[in-house]
Amino acid sequence: MNPRVSLQSLISNQIKVDRAEAMKTSRQLTLIELILKLDSVVDKALPVVFDVEGLYPGTIDSWRGSYNELALAYENGGERPTVSQLLSQCNAVNGKILQGYKGGDFLMGKTTPLWASNYGCSTGFRGNSTAIIGLDVRADLVVIITEAQDY
Protein backbone atom coordinates (compact mmCIF):
# COMPACT_ATOMS: atom_id res chain seq x y z
CA MET A 1 0.00 0.00 0.00
CA ASN A 2 1.20 3.48 -0.82
CA PRO A 3 2.26 5.10 2.47
CA ARG A 4 0.76 8.41 1.29
CA VAL A 5 -2.72 6.88 1.08
CA SER A 6 -4.41 6.76 4.44
CA LEU A 7 -6.68 3.98 5.56
CA GLN A 8 -9.43 6.56 6.09
CA SER A 9 -9.23 7.76 2.47
CA LEU A 10 -9.38 4.15 1.24
CA ILE A 11 -12.49 3.50 3.33
CA SER A 12 -14.09 6.79 2.27
CA ASN A 13 -13.47 6.07 -1.40
CA GLN A 14 -14.95 2.58 -1.10
CA ILE A 15 -18.04 3.98 0.60
CA LYS A 16 -18.47 6.46 -2.28
CA VAL A 17 -18.15 3.66 -4.84
CA ASP A 18 -20.63 1.47 -2.96
CA ARG A 19 -23.14 4.32 -2.59
CA ALA A 20 -22.91 5.24 -6.28
CA GLU A 21 -23.54 1.60 -7.18
CA ALA A 22 -26.55 1.41 -4.83
CA MET A 23 -28.02 4.59 -6.32
CA LYS A 24 -28.12 2.97 -9.78
CA THR A 25 -31.08 0.85 -8.71
CA SER A 26 -32.53 3.10 -6.01
CA ARG A 27 -35.83 4.96 -6.35
CA GLN A 28 -34.30 7.81 -4.33
CA LEU A 29 -33.99 11.10 -6.17
CA THR A 30 -30.75 12.98 -6.61
CA LEU A 31 -30.52 16.76 -6.56
CA ILE A 32 -30.58 17.08 -10.37
CA GLU A 33 -33.58 14.76 -10.61
CA LEU A 34 -35.55 16.94 -8.19
CA ILE A 35 -34.43 20.09 -10.01
CA LEU A 36 -35.60 18.67 -13.36
CA LYS A 37 -38.94 17.53 -11.91
CA LEU A 38 -39.56 20.93 -10.29
CA ASP A 39 -38.49 22.72 -13.47
CA SER A 40 -41.02 20.73 -15.50
CA VAL A 41 -43.96 21.95 -13.37
CA VAL A 42 -45.82 24.48 -15.50
CA ASP A 43 -47.30 26.54 -12.66
CA LYS A 44 -44.30 27.49 -10.53
CA ALA A 45 -46.61 29.33 -8.08
CA LEU A 46 -48.11 26.05 -6.80
CA PRO A 47 -47.36 25.28 -3.13
CA VAL A 48 -45.16 22.27 -2.33
CA VAL A 49 -45.94 19.83 0.49
CA PHE A 50 -44.73 16.43 1.65
CA ASP A 51 -46.88 13.31 1.39
CA VAL A 52 -47.55 13.45 5.14
CA GLU A 53 -50.42 15.76 5.96
CA GLY A 54 -49.43 19.16 7.29
CA LEU A 55 -45.72 18.94 6.46
CA TYR A 56 -43.97 21.01 3.81
CA PRO A 57 -40.34 21.63 2.78
CA GLY A 58 -38.06 23.93 4.73
CA THR A 59 -34.33 24.44 4.29
CA ILE A 60 -31.82 22.20 2.51
CA ASP A 61 -28.66 21.19 4.37
CA SER A 62 -26.15 18.41 4.84
CA TRP A 63 -27.86 15.23 6.07
CA ARG A 64 -26.82 13.94 9.49
CA GLY A 65 -27.00 10.32 8.30
CA SER A 66 -24.21 10.91 5.77
CA TYR A 67 -22.82 14.42 5.64
CA ASN A 68 -22.12 14.25 1.90
CA GLU A 69 -25.84 13.81 1.16
CA LEU A 70 -28.67 16.34 1.37
CA ALA A 71 -31.60 16.71 3.74
CA LEU A 72 -34.71 18.67 2.89
CA ALA A 73 -36.14 19.75 6.25
CA TYR A 74 -39.85 19.59 6.97
CA GLU A 75 -42.00 22.11 8.79
CA ASN A 76 -45.63 22.36 9.86
CA GLY A 77 -46.19 26.02 10.62
CA GLY A 78 -45.95 29.10 8.48
CA GLU A 79 -46.08 29.44 4.74
CA ARG A 80 -45.62 26.57 2.31
CA PRO A 81 -42.93 27.21 -0.33
CA THR A 82 -43.86 27.46 -3.98
CA VAL A 83 -42.32 25.35 -6.72
CA SER A 84 -40.32 28.41 -7.75
CA GLN A 85 -38.95 28.94 -4.24
CA LEU A 86 -37.98 25.27 -3.76
CA LEU A 87 -36.41 25.18 -7.22
CA SER A 88 -34.35 28.24 -6.30
CA GLN A 89 -33.15 26.55 -3.08
CA CYS A 90 -32.17 23.41 -4.98
CA ASN A 91 -30.26 25.36 -7.61
CA ALA A 92 -28.50 27.39 -4.93
CA VAL A 93 -27.13 24.28 -3.18
CA ASN A 94 -25.97 22.64 -6.44
CA GLY A 95 -22.16 22.92 -6.52
CA LYS A 96 -22.03 24.40 -3.03
CA ILE A 97 -19.85 23.18 -0.18
CA LEU A 98 -21.85 22.56 2.99
CA GLN A 99 -20.54 21.80 6.44
CA GLY A 100 -21.45 18.48 8.05
CA TYR A 101 -23.29 18.43 11.37
CA LYS A 102 -20.09 17.71 13.31
CA GLY A 103 -17.77 19.44 10.88
CA GLY A 104 -16.07 18.83 7.57
CA ASP A 105 -16.79 20.32 4.19
CA PHE A 106 -18.89 18.41 1.65
CA LEU A 107 -19.52 19.32 -1.97
CA MET A 108 -23.15 18.94 -3.00
CA GLY A 109 -23.93 18.35 -6.65
CA LYS A 110 -26.24 16.90 -9.22
CA THR A 111 -25.77 13.30 -8.12
CA THR A 112 -26.24 13.98 -4.39
CA PRO A 113 -29.10 11.88 -2.93
CA LEU A 114 -31.98 13.59 -1.10
CA TRP A 115 -33.58 12.77 2.24
CA ALA A 116 -36.47 14.30 4.20
CA SER A 117 -34.94 15.07 7.57
CA ASN A 118 -34.55 18.02 9.88
CA TYR A 119 -31.18 19.54 10.77
CA GLY A 120 -29.16 17.35 13.09
CA CYS A 121 -31.37 14.28 12.54
CA SER A 122 -30.65 11.18 10.52
CA THR A 123 -34.26 10.04 10.67
CA GLY A 124 -37.27 11.61 9.05
CA PHE A 125 -40.99 11.76 9.67
CA ARG A 126 -41.40 8.08 8.79
CA GLY A 127 -39.52 7.09 11.96
CA ASN A 128 -36.34 6.06 10.16
CA SER A 129 -34.41 7.31 7.13
CA THR A 130 -36.92 8.94 4.77
CA ALA A 131 -35.88 9.08 1.11
CA ILE A 132 -37.38 11.49 -1.40
CA ILE A 133 -38.53 9.38 -4.34
CA GLY A 134 -40.74 11.56 -6.53
CA LEU A 135 -43.19 14.38 -7.15
CA ASP A 136 -46.93 14.26 -7.69
CA VAL A 137 -48.10 17.35 -9.55
CA ARG A 138 -51.76 18.06 -8.83
CA ALA A 139 -54.06 20.87 -9.91
CA ASP A 140 -53.67 22.82 -6.67
CA LEU A 141 -50.28 21.73 -5.26
CA VAL A 142 -47.16 19.61 -5.72
CA VAL A 143 -46.56 16.67 -3.36
CA ILE A 144 -43.08 15.37 -2.57
CA ILE A 145 -43.32 11.58 -2.41
CA THR A 146 -41.19 9.83 0.24
CA GLU A 147 -40.56 6.32 1.53
CA ALA A 148 -38.74 4.75 4.44
CA GLN A 149 -35.39 3.52 3.19
CA ASP A 150 -32.25 2.13 4.74
CA TYR A 151 -29.04 4.01 4.06
Side-chain angles (χ1 to χ4, degrees), residues 20 27 35 37 43-45 48 56 58 61 71-72 76 83 93 95 102 123-125 129-130 132 137:
R27 294 170 22 127
I35 288 171
K37 287 180 183 295
D43 185 356
K44 302 280 192 289
V48 182
Y56 57 86
D61 213 326
L72 181 56
N76 65 0
V83 170
V93 78
K102 291 187 177 181
T123 58
F125 46 74
S129 299
T130 303
I132 294 174
V137 180

Side-chain angles (χ1 to χ4, degrees), residues 65-102:
S66 180
Y67 298 164
N68 61 340
E69 299 193 8
L70 286 168
L72 181 56
Y74 50 91
E75 300 180 4
N76 65 0
E79 221 173 291
R80 299 178 298 183
T82 64
V83 170
S84 179
Q85 290 168 327
L86 183 55
L87 182 58
S88 179
Q89 277 187 284
C90 290
N91 281 319
V93 78
N94 186 21
K96 186 175 180 183
I97 294 174
L98 298 180
Q99 190 173 53
Y101 183 74
K102 291 187 177 181

Side-chain angles (χ1 to χ4, degrees), residues 2-52:
N2 183 340
R4 293 183 185 178
V5 178
S6 73
L7 182 57
Q8 181 60 49
S9 66
L10 288 173
I11 292 169
S12 295
N13 288 338
Q14 188 60 51
I15 290 170
K16 286 179 188 176
V17 169
D18 291 348
R19 185 66 172 131
E21 190 63 31
M23 284 300 293
K24 289 179 183 178
T25 57
S26 175
R27 294 170 22 127
Q28 187 173 17
L29 295 184
T30 62
L31 180 59
I32 192 62
E33 290 169 327
L34 182 59
I35 288 171
L36 292 172
K37 287 180 183 295
L38 289 168
D39 197 43
S40 72
V41 176
V42 175
D43 185 356
K44 302 280 192 289
L46 288 175
V48 182
V49 298
F50 280 105
D51 57 353
V52 171

Side-chain angles (χ1 to χ4, degrees), residues 52-68:
V52 171
E53 188 174 343
L55 299 181
Y56 57 86
T59 59
I60 300 175
D61 213 326
S62 171
W63 180 51
R64 176 84 189 266
S66 180
Y67 298 164
N68 61 340

